[in-house]
Amino acid sequence: VATIDCLNEGTEGFAASLRVYAAMLDSLSMVTGEAETLLAQLMLGQLVEIRTTSPGFAVHVDCPKELQPSLSLDFITSILVEAALSSCTTLDDAVTLKSCISTAKKAGLVSYQHLESLVAEKERAMIDELVEEKTAQVLEVCALGCMATAWKNMLTYVEGKSSWVDRAKMMWNSE
């Protein structure tokens, strides 16, 4: 019974420490100068290495069912990736988070689809923003920037649609 109590306390301490680390990624990033996504990747790499080399994580070691979720690789990866996702502002950050998930999958991560979709969604948004920015730059260089801006401004006066693309489609369909 004392061993189980000790295991309970250790598990709770581990889960709390992991949550604190994840919550402090922003501060740690400012102190170290490293990206939050990289810090999450480094922590996950350390934990995966420990899990693969430690006999305490072997299959034949029994652990109470109520403690298994807090010690699972799914829990660890989810906490770290979701915490770092808020600071994912570059495509390099997205690649780092994908690498985190890949590392965890190799070590036995079971439910990764949700994390992959979160990172993919963030990556898609960054790509869309980058395409829009670069398109505007090219239009300016080609002296079409004023015309594109006028077209966008004209479309804001069309009522009933939320985006300029929807309003443009509505205008084209009405003719």
Side-chain angles (χ1 to χ4, degrees):
V1 176
T3 305
I4 297 297
D5 289 341
C6 185
L7 186 58
N8 276 333
E9 286 181 29
T11 301
E12 289 172 10
F14 170 74
S17 296
L18 187 63
R19 286 187 183 105
V20 167
Y21 181 83
M24 299 294 295
L25 281 176
D26 183 37
S27 298
L28 292 170
S29 176
M30 284 190 278
V31 170
T32 63
E34 299 290 349
E36 292 177 39
T37 53
L38 181 61
L39 293 172
Q41 181 185 36
L42 293 171
M43 174 61 103
L44 185 64
Q46 289 282 335
L47 292 172
V48 164
E49 183 179 332
I50 290 168
R51 289 178 66 88
T52 55
T53 59
S54 172
F57 288 100
V59 176
H60 66 275
V61 175
D62 290 327
C63 180
K65 295 254 188 241
E66 64 271 8
L67 300 180
Q68 290 176 1
S70 294
L71 295 174
S72 73
L73 196 55
D74 291 18
F75 172 77
I76 294 167
T77 307
S78 178
I79 292 289
L80 292 173
V81 169
E82 288 179 11
L85 194 62
S86 64
S87 69
C88 182
T89 56
T90 67
L91 293 175
D92 287 340
D93 289 340
V95 169
T96 302
L97 289 178
K98 285 180 176 182
S99 176
C100 281
I101 296 168
S102 177
T103 299
K105 282 172 31 179
K106 290 176 187 169
L109 179 66
V110 177
S111 57
Y112 53 85
Q113 293 84 1
H114 172 69
L115 294 174
E116 285 182 331
S117 67
L118 288 174
V119 174
E121 183 179 317
K122 186 79 166 183
E123 187 178 38
R124 254 189 312 277
M126 286 187 288
I127 289 171
D128 288 346
E129 186 178 313
L130 185 62
V131 166
E132 188 174 317
E133 179 184 311
K134 295 301 178 185
T135 300
Q137 288 175 353
V138 168
L139 288 172
E140 288 296 327
V141 168
C142 296
L144 296 173
C146 294
M147 196 161 91
T149 302
W151 176 253
K152 275 180 141 176
N153 290 338
M154 183 186 76
L155 294 176
T156 59
Y157 295 109
V158 177
E159 295 180 20
K161 295 294 177 176
S162 59
S163 74
W164 72 271
V165 172
D166 292 335
R167 291 187 290 265
K169 287 179 185 176
M170 185 178 80
M171 286 181 63
W172 288 112
N173 291 333
S174 67
E175 293 179 358

